[in-house]
PDB file of all heavy atoms in Angstrom:
ATOM      1  N   PRO E   1      15.407   4.860   4.736  1.00  0.00           N
ATOM      2  CA  PRO E   1      14.108   5.464   4.991  1.00  0.00           C
ATOM      3  C   PRO E   1      13.018   4.426   4.953  1.00  0.00           C
ATOM      4  O   PRO E   1      13.057   3.436   4.297  1.00  0.00           O
ATOM      5  CB  PRO E   1      13.962   6.513   3.900  1.00  0.00           C
ATOM      6  CG  PRO E   1      14.817   5.933   2.772  1.00  0.00           C
ATOM      7  CD  PRO E   1      15.945   5.237   3.451  1.00  0.00           C
ATOM      8  N   GLN E   2      11.972   4.787   5.696  1.00  0.00           N
ATOM      9  CA  GLN E   2      10.755   3.849   5.583  1.00  0.00           C
ATOM     10  C   GLN E   2      10.132   3.871   4.237  1.00  0.00           C
ATOM     11  O   GLN E   2      10.129   4.873   3.505  1.00  0.00           O
ATOM     12  CB  GLN E   2       9.737   4.309   6.652  1.00  0.00           C
ATOM     13  CG  GLN E   2      10.158   4.216   8.107  1.00  0.00           C
ATOM     14  CD  GLN E   2       9.075   4.495   9.049  1.00  0.00           C
ATOM     15  OE1 GLN E   2       7.987   5.099   8.651  1.00  0.00           O
ATOM     16  NE2 GLN E   2       9.256   4.204  10.347  1.00  0.00           N
ATOM     17  N   VAL E   3       9.672   2.706   3.793  1.00  0.00           N
ATOM     18  CA  VAL E   3       9.001   2.572   2.554  1.00  0.00           C
ATOM     19  C   VAL E   3       7.528   2.933   2.677  1.00  0.00           C
ATOM     20  O   VAL E   3       6.866   2.369   3.470  1.00  0.00           O
ATOM     21  CB  VAL E   3       9.206   1.115   2.000  1.00  0.00           C
ATOM     22  CG1 VAL E   3       8.423   0.969   0.706  1.00  0.00           C
ATOM     23  CG2 VAL E   3      10.624   0.710   1.879  1.00  0.00           C
ATOM     24  N   ASN E   4       7.111   3.921   1.897  1.00  0.00           N
ATOM     25  CA  ASN E   4       5.767   4.341   1.845  1.00  0.00           C
ATOM     26  C   ASN E   4       5.142   4.130   0.486  1.00  0.00           C
ATOM     27  O   ASN E   4       5.801   4.448  -0.571  1.00  0.00           O
ATOM     28  CB  ASN E   4       5.618   5.825   2.264  1.00  0.00           C
ATOM     29  CG  ASN E   4       6.038   6.036   3.734  1.00  0.00           C
ATOM     30  OD1 ASN E   4       5.530   5.418   4.629  1.00  0.00           O
ATOM     31  ND2 ASN E   4       6.975   6.990   3.961  1.00  0.00           N
ATOM     32  N   PHE E   5       3.911   3.592   0.429  1.00  0.00           N
ATOM     33  CA  PHE E   5       3.265   3.326  -0.831  1.00  0.00           C
ATOM     34  C   PHE E   5       2.295   4.450  -1.122  1.00  0.00           C
ATOM     35  O   PHE E   5       1.647   4.980  -0.184  1.00  0.00           O
ATOM     36  CB  PHE E   5       2.541   1.992  -0.841  1.00  0.00           C
ATOM     37  CG  PHE E   5       3.511   0.847  -0.585  1.00  0.00           C
ATOM     38  CD1 PHE E   5       3.511   0.215   0.642  1.00  0.00           C
ATOM     39  CD2 PHE E   5       4.303   0.391  -1.580  1.00  0.00           C
ATOM     40  CE1 PHE E   5       4.362  -0.842   0.902  1.00  0.00           C
ATOM     41  CE2 PHE E   5       5.155  -0.761  -1.335  1.00  0.00           C
ATOM     42  CZ  PHE E   5       5.163  -1.323  -0.079  1.00  0.00           C
ATOM     43  N   PRO E   6       2.081   4.888  -2.420  1.00  0.00           N
ATOM     44  CA  PRO E   6       1.063   5.908  -2.705  1.00  0.00           C
ATOM     45  C   PRO E   6      -0.292   5.482  -2.267  1.00  0.00           C
ATOM     46  O   PRO E   6      -0.705   4.321  -2.465  1.00  0.00           O
ATOM     47  CB  PRO E   6       1.174   5.985  -4.213  1.00  0.00           C
ATOM     48  CG  PRO E   6       2.487   5.431  -4.633  1.00  0.00           C
ATOM     49  CD  PRO E   6       2.812   4.407  -3.575  1.00  0.00           C
ATOM     50  N   LEU E   7      -0.981   6.410  -1.602  1.00  0.00           N
ATOM     51  CA  LEU E   7      -2.316   6.091  -1.069  1.00  0.00           C
ATOM     52  C   LEU E   7      -3.267   5.677  -2.183  1.00  0.00           C
ATOM     53  O   LEU E   7      -4.104   4.752  -1.930  1.00  0.00           O
ATOM     54  CB  LEU E   7      -2.868   7.339  -0.334  1.00  0.00           C
ATOM     55  CG  LEU E   7      -4.168   7.139   0.396  1.00  0.00           C
ATOM     56  CD1 LEU E   7      -4.029   6.036   1.461  1.00  0.00           C
ATOM     57  CD2 LEU E   7      -4.631   8.434   1.086  1.00  0.00           C
ATOM     58  N   CYS E   8      -3.170   6.305  -3.353  1.00  0.00           N
ATOM     59  CA  CYS E   8      -4.116   5.911  -4.424  1.00  0.00           C
ATOM     60  C   CYS E   8      -3.897   4.504  -4.886  1.00  0.00           C
ATOM     61  O   CYS E   8      -4.861   3.781  -5.241  1.00  0.00           O
ATOM     62  CB  CYS E   8      -3.896   6.837  -5.568  1.00  0.00           C
ATOM     63  SG  CYS E   8      -2.251   6.862  -6.271  1.00  0.00           S
ATOM     64  N   THR E   9      -2.653   3.992  -4.781  1.00  0.00           N
ATOM     65  CA  THR E   9      -2.371   2.638  -5.172  1.00  0.00           C
ATOM     66  C   THR E   9      -2.931   1.631  -4.149  1.00  0.00           C
ATOM     67  O   THR E   9      -3.631   0.656  -4.523  1.00  0.00           O
ATOM     68  CB  THR E   9      -0.858   2.380  -5.237  1.00  0.00           C
ATOM     69  OG1 THR E   9      -0.304   3.192  -6.296  1.00  0.00           O
ATOM     70  CG2 THR E   9      -0.503   0.936  -5.600  1.00  0.00           C
ATOM     71  N   ILE E  10      -2.752   1.859  -2.847  1.00  0.00           N
ATOM     72  CA  ILE E  10      -3.206   0.872  -1.904  1.00  0.00           C
ATOM     73  C   ILE E  10      -4.726   0.927  -1.772  1.00  0.00           C
ATOM     74  O   ILE E  10      -5.357  -0.041  -1.372  1.00  0.00           O
ATOM     75  CB  ILE E  10      -2.523   1.168  -0.510  1.00  0.00           C
ATOM     76  CG1 ILE E  10      -2.956   2.522   0.091  1.00  0.00           C
ATOM     77  CG2 ILE E  10      -1.018   1.073  -0.612  1.00  0.00           C
ATOM     78  CD1 ILE E  10      -2.420   2.719   1.486  1.00  0.00           C
ATOM     79  N   ALA E  11      -5.335   2.102  -2.141  1.00  0.00           N
ATOM     80  CA  ALA E  11      -6.816   2.144  -1.975  1.00  0.00           C
ATOM     81  C   ALA E  11      -7.545   1.654  -3.190  1.00  0.00           C
ATOM     82  O   ALA E  11      -8.640   1.070  -3.098  1.00  0.00           O
ATOM     83  CB  ALA E  11      -7.147   3.598  -1.691  1.00  0.00           C
ATOM     84  N   ASN E  12      -6.958   1.827  -4.392  1.00  0.00           N
ATOM     85  CA  ASN E  12      -7.679   1.565  -5.682  1.00  0.00           C
ATOM     86  C   ASN E  12      -7.117   0.452  -6.540  1.00  0.00           C
ATOM     87  O   ASN E  12      -7.856  -0.384  -7.033  1.00  0.00           O
ATOM     88  CB  ASN E  12      -7.768   2.857  -6.529  1.00  0.00           C
ATOM     89  CG  ASN E  12      -8.465   3.969  -5.765  1.00  0.00           C
ATOM     90  OD1 ASN E  12      -9.470   3.819  -5.163  1.00  0.00           O
ATOM     91  ND2 ASN E  12      -7.783   5.157  -5.771  1.00  0.00           N
ATOM     92  N   THR E  13      -5.808   0.324  -6.600  1.00  0.00           N
ATOM     93  CA  THR E  13      -5.137  -0.640  -7.457  1.00  0.00           C
ATOM     94  C   THR E  13      -4.058  -1.433  -6.746  1.00  0.00           C
ATOM     95  O   THR E  13      -2.874  -1.338  -7.145  1.00  0.00           O
ATOM     96  CB  THR E  13      -4.645   0.028  -8.765  1.00  0.00           C
ATOM     97  OG1 THR E  13      -3.705   1.032  -8.335  1.00  0.00           O
ATOM     98  CG2 THR E  13      -5.747   0.630  -9.595  1.00  0.00           C
ATOM     99  N   PRO E  14      -4.342  -2.155  -5.732  1.00  0.00           N
ATOM    100  CA  PRO E  14      -3.271  -2.914  -4.990  1.00  0.00           C
ATOM    101  C   PRO E  14      -2.762  -4.046  -5.898  1.00  0.00           C
ATOM    102  O   PRO E  14      -3.513  -4.639  -6.607  1.00  0.00           O
ATOM    103  CB  PRO E  14      -4.035  -3.480  -3.787  1.00  0.00           C
ATOM    104  CG  PRO E  14      -5.487  -3.604  -4.209  1.00  0.00           C
ATOM    105  CD  PRO E  14      -5.666  -2.363  -5.080  1.00  0.00           C
ATOM    106  N   ARG E  15      -1.408  -4.173  -5.868  1.00  0.00           N
ATOM    107  CA  ARG E  15      -0.794  -5.199  -6.670  1.00  0.00           C
ATOM    108  C   ARG E  15       0.108  -6.162  -5.885  1.00  0.00           C
ATOM    109  O   ARG E  15       0.415  -7.239  -6.315  1.00  0.00           O
ATOM    110  CB  ARG E  15       0.059  -4.563  -7.784  1.00  0.00           C
ATOM    111  CG  ARG E  15      -0.688  -3.687  -8.748  1.00  0.00           C
ATOM    112  CD  ARG E  15       0.189  -3.097  -9.833  1.00  0.00           C
ATOM    113  NE  ARG E  15       1.263  -2.269  -9.254  1.00  0.00           N
ATOM    114  CZ  ARG E  15       1.090  -0.975  -8.999  1.00  0.00           C
ATOM    115  NH1 ARG E  15      -0.076  -0.406  -9.194  1.00  0.00           N
ATOM    116  NH2 ARG E  15       2.132  -0.282  -8.510  1.00  0.00           N
ATOM    117  N   LEU E  16       0.470  -5.682  -4.666  1.00  0.00           N
ATOM    118  CA  LEU E  16       1.348  -6.462  -3.799  1.00  0.00           C
ATOM    119  C   LEU E  16       0.712  -6.842  -2.500  1.00  0.00           C
ATOM    120  O   LEU E  16      -0.245  -6.060  -2.059  1.00  0.00           O
ATOM    121  CB  LEU E  16       2.675  -5.647  -3.529  1.00  0.00           C
ATOM    122  CG  LEU E  16       3.457  -5.247  -4.732  1.00  0.00           C
ATOM    123  CD1 LEU E  16       4.572  -4.304  -4.271  1.00  0.00           C
ATOM    124  CD2 LEU E  16       4.045  -6.454  -5.446  1.00  0.00           C
ATOM    125  N   PRO E  17       1.109  -7.848  -1.776  1.00  0.00           N
ATOM    126  CA  PRO E  17       0.555  -8.135  -0.454  1.00  0.00           C
ATOM    127  C   PRO E  17       0.802  -7.003   0.491  1.00  0.00           C
ATOM    128  O   PRO E  17      -0.024  -6.673   1.325  1.00  0.00           O
ATOM    129  CB  PRO E  17       1.254  -9.395  -0.083  1.00  0.00           C
ATOM    130  CG  PRO E  17       2.518  -9.503  -0.898  1.00  0.00           C
ATOM    131  CD  PRO E  17       2.100  -8.885  -2.219  1.00  0.00           C
ATOM    132  N   GLU E  18       1.945  -6.285   0.289  1.00  0.00           N
ATOM    133  CA  GLU E  18       2.190  -5.079   1.140  1.00  0.00           C
ATOM    134  C   GLU E  18       1.154  -4.035   0.968  1.00  0.00           C
ATOM    135  O   GLU E  18       0.803  -3.287   1.911  1.00  0.00           O
ATOM    136  CB  GLU E  18       3.608  -4.526   0.837  1.00  0.00           C
ATOM    137  CG  GLU E  18       4.761  -5.430   1.289  1.00  0.00           C
ATOM    138  CD  GLU E  18       5.131  -6.461   0.274  1.00  0.00           C
ATOM    139  OE1 GLU E  18       4.400  -6.611  -0.716  1.00  0.00           O
ATOM    140  OE2 GLU E  18       6.113  -7.132   0.425  1.00  0.00           O
ATOM    141  N   HIS E  19       0.632  -3.895  -0.247  1.00  0.00           N
ATOM    142  CA  HIS E  19      -0.415  -2.902  -0.492  1.00  0.00           C
ATOM    143  C   HIS E  19      -1.667  -3.193   0.298  1.00  0.00           C
ATOM    144  O   HIS E  19      -2.293  -2.301   0.870  1.00  0.00           O
ATOM    145  CB  HIS E  19      -0.780  -2.819  -1.991  1.00  0.00           C
ATOM    146  CG  HIS E  19       0.376  -2.297  -2.840  1.00  0.00           C
ATOM    147  ND1 HIS E  19       0.340  -2.488  -4.218  1.00  0.00           N
ATOM    148  CD2 HIS E  19       1.478  -1.633  -2.614  1.00  0.00           C
ATOM    149  CE1 HIS E  19       1.408  -1.962  -4.755  1.00  0.00           C
ATOM    150  NE2 HIS E  19       2.107  -1.420  -3.745  1.00  0.00           N
ATOM    151  N   CYS E  20      -2.027  -4.466   0.421  1.00  0.00           N
ATOM    152  CA  CYS E  20      -3.176  -4.853   1.126  1.00  0.00           C
ATOM    153  C   CYS E  20      -2.995  -4.622   2.675  1.00  0.00           C
ATOM    154  O   CYS E  20      -3.893  -4.154   3.323  1.00  0.00           O
ATOM    155  CB  CYS E  20      -3.472  -6.362   0.926  1.00  0.00           C
ATOM    156  SG  CYS E  20      -3.729  -6.765  -0.784  1.00  0.00           S
ATOM    157  N   ILE E  21      -1.769  -4.899   3.163  1.00  0.00           N
ATOM    158  CA  ILE E  21      -1.480  -4.683   4.587  1.00  0.00           C
ATOM    159  C   ILE E  21      -1.563  -3.190   4.907  1.00  0.00           C
ATOM    160  O   ILE E  21      -2.089  -2.752   5.924  1.00  0.00           O
ATOM    161  CB  ILE E  21      -0.158  -5.247   4.961  1.00  0.00           C
ATOM    162  CG1 ILE E  21      -0.119  -6.820   4.702  1.00  0.00           C
ATOM    163  CG2 ILE E  21       0.220  -4.964   6.379  1.00  0.00           C
ATOM    164  CD1 ILE E  21       1.189  -7.453   4.793  1.00  0.00           C
ATOM    165  N   GLU E  22      -0.989  -2.347   4.023  1.00  0.00           N
ATOM    166  CA  GLU E  22      -0.970  -0.909   4.233  1.00  0.00           C
ATOM    167  C   GLU E  22      -2.396  -0.365   4.234  1.00  0.00           C
ATOM    168  O   GLU E  22      -2.713   0.601   4.949  1.00  0.00           O
ATOM    169  CB  GLU E  22      -0.078  -0.258   3.187  1.00  0.00           C
ATOM    170  CG  GLU E  22       1.378  -0.349   3.432  1.00  0.00           C
ATOM    171  CD  GLU E  22       1.826   0.532   4.584  1.00  0.00           C
ATOM    172  OE1 GLU E  22       1.731  -0.006   5.762  1.00  0.00           O
ATOM    173  OE2 GLU E  22       2.263   1.613   4.419  1.00  0.00           O
ATOM    174  N   TYR E  23      -3.197  -0.891   3.303  1.00  0.00           N
ATOM    175  CA  TYR E  23      -4.638  -0.403   3.269  1.00  0.00           C
ATOM    176  C   TYR E  23      -5.305  -0.659   4.619  1.00  0.00           C
ATOM    177  O   TYR E  23      -6.017   0.239   5.164  1.00  0.00           O
ATOM    178  CB  TYR E  23      -5.355  -1.209   2.204  1.00  0.00           C
ATOM    179  CG  TYR E  23      -6.847  -0.872   2.157  1.00  0.00           C
ATOM    180  CD1 TYR E  23      -7.343   0.237   1.491  1.00  0.00           C
ATOM    181  CD2 TYR E  23      -7.804  -1.722   2.798  1.00  0.00           C
ATOM    182  CE1 TYR E  23      -8.681   0.564   1.473  1.00  0.00           C
ATOM    183  CE2 TYR E  23      -9.114  -1.439   2.758  1.00  0.00           C
ATOM    184  CZ  TYR E  23      -9.603  -0.255   2.090  1.00  0.00           C
ATOM    185  OH  TYR E  23     -10.902   0.035   2.090  1.00  0.00           O
ATOM    186  N   VAL E  24      -5.133  -1.822   5.252  1.00  0.00           N
ATOM    187  CA  VAL E  24      -5.742  -2.132   6.519  1.00  0.00           C
ATOM    188  C   VAL E  24      -5.094  -1.258   7.597  1.00  0.00           C
ATOM    189  O   VAL E  24      -5.840  -0.698   8.482  1.00  0.00           O
ATOM    190  CB  VAL E  24      -5.585  -3.612   6.842  1.00  0.00           C
ATOM    191  CG1 VAL E  24      -6.149  -3.871   8.241  1.00  0.00           C
ATOM    192  CG2 VAL E  24      -6.261  -4.497   5.817  1.00  0.00           C
ATOM    193  N   ARG E  25      -3.775  -1.061   7.538  1.00  0.00           N
ATOM    194  CA  ARG E  25      -3.089  -0.298   8.579  1.00  0.00           C
ATOM    195  C   ARG E  25      -3.516   1.174   8.539  1.00  0.00           C
ATOM    196  O   ARG E  25      -3.813   1.827   9.581  1.00  0.00           O
ATOM    197  CB  ARG E  25      -1.576  -0.420   8.384  1.00  0.00           C
ATOM    198  CG  ARG E  25      -0.789   0.298   9.502  1.00  0.00           C
ATOM    199  CD  ARG E  25       0.663   0.197   9.205  1.00  0.00           C
ATOM    200  NE  ARG E  25       1.079   1.052   8.133  1.00  0.00           N
ATOM    201  CZ  ARG E  25       1.413   2.364   8.238  1.00  0.00           C
ATOM    202  NH1 ARG E  25       1.366   2.931   9.446  1.00  0.00           N
ATOM    203  NH2 ARG E  25       1.797   3.141   7.184  1.00  0.00           N
TER     204      ARG E  25
END
């Protein structure tokens, strides 16, 4: 399955480079 990150994490507390990319996407 596709990997999805919690929206609250990517918007408020990014910890991984993937979080930053998902925020922009």
Side-chain angles (χ1 to χ4, degrees):
Q2 293 185 350
V3 177
N4 294 306
F5 301 104
L7 187 59
C8 59
T9 299
I10 65 175
N12 301 313
T13 57
R15 299 183 299 275
L16 302 172
E18 291 85 351
H19 293 163
C20 301
I21 298 168
E22 283 289 84
Y23 174 83
V24 176
R25 185 183 72 87

